[in-house]
Amino acid sequence: MNEKAISQYLSFILRHKPEEIGLTLDNEGWADIQELISKSQPIENVILNKDIIKNVVRNSDKKRFQISDDWTKIRAVQGHSTASVNITLKKLVPPSYLYHGTAQRFIDSIKEHGLLSKDRQYVHLTENKDTALTVGARYGKPEILVIDALKMHDSGFEFFQAENGVWLIKHVPIEFIAFQ
Ligand code: HQG
């Protein structure tokens, strides 16, 4: 079974387009697992069930999803674009520096506008350089930007952390970005 394809399908539905299958997410991003199963299309001929979903959630390298304590609900913990979801996030003091992986072809625009959240609700930052490299490589030749996170925080910007450790912020102005 192609767990990656299932993970990508769940990301698409739970982060971006629940309405595509007539699914409703609550304000915190939760979907009813049974409803998700009954409304989902087969993925590469695999019909979702609870065990498949549990395995995908458990094996997700980035811990992208969360299942509720009573095992009835599922949500994506970050990465949303859908405006119907507004997850309560932990507001935290960030480490001194955080990383953002991007593609070289975006650098000129980032130098002009800073980091924008684009289609998503937040700009995504990580403590892990390797993760940043992989994320950047999805869009072209990767480039790692170093963000002066603590200085930004001390200047009044709010940093949030998702359940899986990804750091989220609304915008990063250019003065806090070190270009290599
Ligand atoms: C770029 C993955 C031009 C930005 C990762 C990025 C992440 C600009 C792209 C999560 C720009 C948006 C999110 C500007 C930003 N001009 N380009 N001013 N500002 N950009 O996919 O951060 O595997 O929406 O650098 O781990 O790449 O899906 O964001 O290249 O946490 O679970 O615009 O997705 O997680 O791309 O990735 P995205 P992202 P998953």
Side-chain angles (χ1 to χ4, degrees):
M1 186 192 320
N2 188 348
E3 283 201 1
K4 188 169 179 209
I6 295 169
S7 174
Q8 285 173 340
Y9 177 83
L10 292 178
S11 289
F12 174 71
I13 297 296
L14 298 173
R15 289 172 172 175
H16 307 301
K17 284 272 161 75
E19 67 274 14
E20 187 101 342
I21 56 167
L23 188 71
T24 308
L25 308 182
D26 73 12
N27 202 40
E28 292 290 331
W30 294 108
D32 182 87
I33 295 181
Q34 282 309 339
E35 191 187 347
L36 171 67
I37 289 169
S38 64
K39 291 183 170 173
S40 287
Q41 302 295 319
I43 302 140
E44 297 185 357
N45 295 321
V46 173
I47 295 169
L48 283 187
N49 62 38
K50 224 168 176 173
D51 286 338
I52 292 173
I53 291 177
K54 277 184 201 169
N55 273 330
V56 170
V57 171
R58 190 175 51 222
N59 297 337
S60 170
D61 51 353
K62 292 185 184 167
K63 302 283 167 234
R64 295 177 176 88
F65 311 103
Q66 186 181 10
I67 289 180
S68 62
D69 292 340
D70 63 2
W71 293 92
T72 63
K73 293 188 290 181
I74 182 171
R75 70 175 176 180
V77 296
Q78 40 76 212
H80 297 82
S81 61
T82 175
S84 64
V85 170
N86 185 15
I87 292 187
T88 310
L89 295 162
K90 289 178 277 184
K91 190 158 64 164
L92 292 174
V93 180
S96 299
Y97 298 100
L98 286 168
Y99 305 100
H100 176 86
T102 190
Q104 234 171 46
R105 64 194 166 98
F106 298 147
I107 294 295
D108 284 350
S109 171
I110 294 172
K111 280 184 173 164
E112 196 176 335
H113 305 287
L115 280 172
L116 306 173
S117 65
K118 297 293 184 111
D119 293 339
R120 301 193 200 245
Q121 294 179 346
Y122 295 94
V123 173
H124 289 221
L125 305 175
T126 174
E127 293 173 26
N128 186 313
K129 260 188 172 176
D130 291 337
T131 303
L133 203 61
T134 317
V135 169
R138 294 177 306 154
Y139 294 118
K141 195 157 184 285
E143 190 88 22
I144 297 180
L145 306 180
V146 183
I147 313 302
D148 213 341
L150 188 57
K151 189 168 159 205
M152 240 185 116
H153 170 270
D154 292 347
S155 311
F157 290 85
E158 291 183 335
F159 282 78
F160 303 95
Q161 198 173 29
E163 289 283 334
N164 63 351
V166 170
W167 286 89
L168 303 167
I169 188 160
K170 282 291 176 191
H171 171 232
V172 182
I174 39 178
E175 60 264 37
F176 299 105
I177 305 172
F179 296 90
Q180 314 281 334

